[in-house]
Amino acid sequence: MQMPLPLTRDLVLIGGGHTHALVARMWGMTPLEGTRVTLINPGPTAPYSGMLPGHIAGHYSREALDIDLVKLTRFAGARLVLGAATAIDPVAKVVTVAGHGEIGYDVASINIGIHTEMPVIPGFTEHALGAKPLDTYTSRWRDFLAAAQAGEVAPDVAVIGAGVAGVELALASAHALRAAVGPAARVAIIEAGPEIAGRNPETTRRLRTAMAEYGVAIHTRAEVVRIHADGVELADGEVIRSRFTLGTAGANAHGWLAGSPLPLTEEGFVTVDSHLRVDGHWDLFAAGDCAHLTHAPRPKAGVYAVREAPVLLHNLRAVLAGSGKTKAYRPQKDYLKLVSLGQKSALAEKWGRTISGPLLWRWKNRIDTKFMRMFQELPQMTPDKLPRALTDGVAAELAGEHKPLCAGCGSKVGPGTLSAALAGLPAIGRADVLTGPGDDAAVLALGGAKQVITTDHLRAFTDDPYLLAKIAAVHALGDVWAMGAAPQAALASVILPRMAQPLQARSMGEVMRAAQEVFGAAGAEIVGGHSTMGAEMTLGFTITGLVTGAAITNAGARPGDVAILTRPIGTGTLLAAEMLGQADGRDVAAMLTAMARPQGDAAALLAPHAHAMTDVTGFGLAGHMWAICTASGVAGEIEADAVPLYPGALALAEAGHRSSIWEANRAAAPVAGAEGARGALLHDPQTAGGFLAAVAAAEAGALVAALRAAGHDAAAIGRFTAGAPGLRAI
């Protein structure tokens, strides 16, 4: 049997720009085995700027612009680190990422684009924004358009800069405002130079005509001296009314890059040679608008970024493979400019010729949507076929489909199997061991004190050691917090995939840094552990905690108690779908962020009031509520509609996505009357799930309010009643 090949080199792609998105897609088709690929980006999506004017005009939804980096990196076999790069050290070969720390590399590439903010203009930071970064612009534009339509704000827009981008966005704004508020819409475009965009007089004439049709006021030779909340002040004293001021003039380098030790232009762009290699650094590349081509300077335009991708991919592979046979990028001398004209019409300019009309918009639309389909419809990489001859039961175990085993708590042994195994253990024979199997943690007597001890580990659902370690630490601490204990000490158990020593050091560094952040904040010390290499990454922790008074267990719930849940459910469904490339990256990113948040404060709020409490993990909400019912001798009712769900979980459950352990969970803790997707999610295995607590009905409302005020998505999701242990949905 072929063993997994060892990882020997780290390739880090800084930024999810067009070039890197294409590189990642091509990498997924033909990966270079032995390379660990990391993509760093502030968010889970990367917007395609070519469709921005169409979105502002109202022709495209916001989602239509987004490249889903979660799906893309899954396809590429890469890890996605969500965070903004803030520094790079090309000598130490590390990138610093906000909220993550340092990430080491052997070969790296930068593709972070530009911004069009103008902080040097007084009032810009307070009262205006740049067209790039695009996310902020589109969000604030939607808010402004809604406010203008509702009559809450004057429909006045000013665009600073009359280049192609400024003209397109002025026309798009005018089109959307006119549709929203009618002729009251006012759009102005301000240009410091003598004329608006256009490399030939015919282009300029047609753009002026298009703006005249929308009533866009054109101000040329106009110097902006100050921006106010309700207008733009010019050097001649004129104030142009504006409640939404947009900057498009010029292209500015991101501050961290402009302040880096890399070779830069006066404007702060990274200088690269003809092979897209950063000058003086054979292992560092740059592409797109953040790079300056010293051999063939070109304007900042997305067409160059797109065409750089195959060359960059070839060169990255050459350096990683040790061949060194890179090749040059030769940019085209001219390219077709397609300019949106507000309505579904466009202008085309090339070789000094200009034409315009609706047919050109359709052409542009086909080009743009074809580009986006490359990322929205990623090739389906078929898994290896099963052997013709199979042992009886293999096909049934795979449920008729060749699906991967789920990660996180979705890969746990089923609750029935585990209970049967634990039932065979002898009774506890030591007086200082106060509880046996079946609760969140064991309670030990140590002199006059009580200590709890628990262990937990997770099969990796992300290739990011730092993020996995944070979530694994929070997950393991849940057992200690749920029993009302204060975390004391932790032992780490780390299994890394086979990799070279430098990659081992980087991975272990990220794991221990993340774990220390979580345990240190919880008041616990990491005192040691064990590490090894294996087939895949698995992280876990053994934790002790100290209890003052009686530990909170599953026993103690009383008839009439309300069941409070502190965190949404749906992680198993989302993670199962993400493994298949079917989950929305924004939903996955939001869920992972929530999973990594510690819950000690939630436990502290509940502990003084909880008659019984547990953390909801692999056996699902129903399984853990069943455990409380069984230990307490009560029945339980779940209000399925009241259970908070992670965004995207319900739709994925309706589509039939289930975690590997789901069927076993449902069999072990049936819920009478539970139907449909919401009923299915009651058995969904949770990783780093919330707390389920039984509290007096009179205290439940105030506790939920306190939890929500502390930032937890808590809810009262049912109650405990008199009767034989069991569950029903109401």
Side-chain angles (χ1 to χ4, degrees), residues 338-688:
L338 286 169
V339 183
S340 298
L341 300 177
Q343 57 187 315
K344 291 184 177 180
S345 181
L347 175 150
E349 179 191 74
K350 190 175 183 181
W351 296 318
R353 301 184 62 184
T354 304
I355 56 174
S356 59
L359 287 176
L360 288 170
W361 191 89
R362 295 177 192 170
W363 186 20
K364 175 175 168 53
N365 178 61
R366 279 198 296 270
I367 293 172
D368 290 337
T369 53
K370 180 181 178 181
F371 178 81
M372 289 301 295
R373 275 198 302 273
M374 289 195 296
F375 303 102
Q376 295 164 346
E377 301 171 8
L378 292 166
Q380 295 297 311
M381 307 303 283
T382 57
D384 295 336
K385 290 184 178 180
L386 294 172
R388 279 188 175 184
L390 289 173
T391 301
D392 186 31
V394 171
E397 186 65 26
L398 293 173
E401 302 178 40
H402 198 173
K403 287 186 177 181
L405 176 68
C406 284
C409 278
S411 60
K412 287 184 69 169
V413 172
T417 302
L418 181 61
S419 296
L422 293 175
L425 294 175
I428 300 297
R430 292 180 60 100
D432 54 357
V433 180
L434 304 182
T435 63
D439 228 305
D440 292 296
V443 182
L444 311 177
L446 295 174
K450 291 179 182 176
Q451 184 184 58
V452 300
I453 183 169
T454 184
T455 190
D456 218 322
H457 68 262
L458 298 176
R459 179 171 180 262
F461 45 81
T462 172
D463 289 326
D464 182 359
Y466 178 89
L467 178 60
L468 182 64
K470 289 197 78 168
I471 293 174
V474 170
H475 178 80
L477 280 166
D479 290 338
V480 176
W481 283 325
M483 299 191 82
Q488 179 189 25
L491 293 167
S493 177
V494 181
I495 302 176
L496 296 177
R498 187 179 178 188
M499 58 181 65
Q501 191 279 329
L503 275 71
Q504 294 176 37
R506 292 168 187 162
S507 298
M508 289 298 293
E510 292 188 41
V511 167
M512 299 315 295
R513 186 171 68 247
Q516 177 56 38
E517 288 174 9
V518 175
F519 288 119
E525 301 286 346
I526 300 177
V527 295
H530 180 74
S531 63
T532 186
M533 284 190 286
E536 59 186 4
M537 183 162 61
T538 302
L539 299 183
F541 299 95
T542 298
I543 307 173
T544 62
L546 297 175
V547 179
T548 301
I552 306 170
T553 67
N554 286 334
R558 307 167 187 173
D561 279 355
V562 170
I564 291 178
L565 180 66
T566 64
R567 184 168 277 186
I569 65 172
T571 66
T573 297
L574 277 158
L575 290 175
E578 192 277 323
M579 290 182 72
L580 299 173
Q582 299 298 311
D584 188 300
R586 286 162 293 216
D587 294 337
V588 174
M591 175 193 68
L592 293 174
T593 298
M595 291 165 68
R597 180 184 173 182
Q599 301 185 87
D601 58 340
L605 286 169
L606 287 170
H609 309 276
H611 300 147
M613 185 159 66
T614 184
D615 61 332
V616 178
T617 54
F619 300 152
L621 175 60
H624 288 279
M625 192 163 178
W626 182 284
I628 290 179
C629 291
T630 302
S632 303
V634 296
E637 297 177 340
I638 301 176
E639 297 181 37
D641 290 342
V643 176
L645 306 177
Y646 280 112
L650 184 61
L652 290 170
E654 289 172 341
H657 290 282
R658 301 287 186 271
S659 195
S660 301
I661 197 180
W662 181 84
E663 192 66 58
N665 281 354
R666 184 177 65 164
V671 181
E675 299 177 350
R678 282 189 174 273
L681 285 168
L682 298 179
H683 306 288
D684 188 58
Q686 302 307 294
T687 303

Side-chain angles (χ1 to χ4, degrees), residues 241-270:
R241 289 189 297 178
S242 176
R243 295 303 302 270
F244 189 92
T245 302
L246 181 70
T248 68
N252 304 310
H254 288 282
W256 76 266
L257 190 60
S260 73
L262 301 178
L264 305 169
T265 65
E266 290 184 3
E267 297 81 11
F269 300 111
V270 185

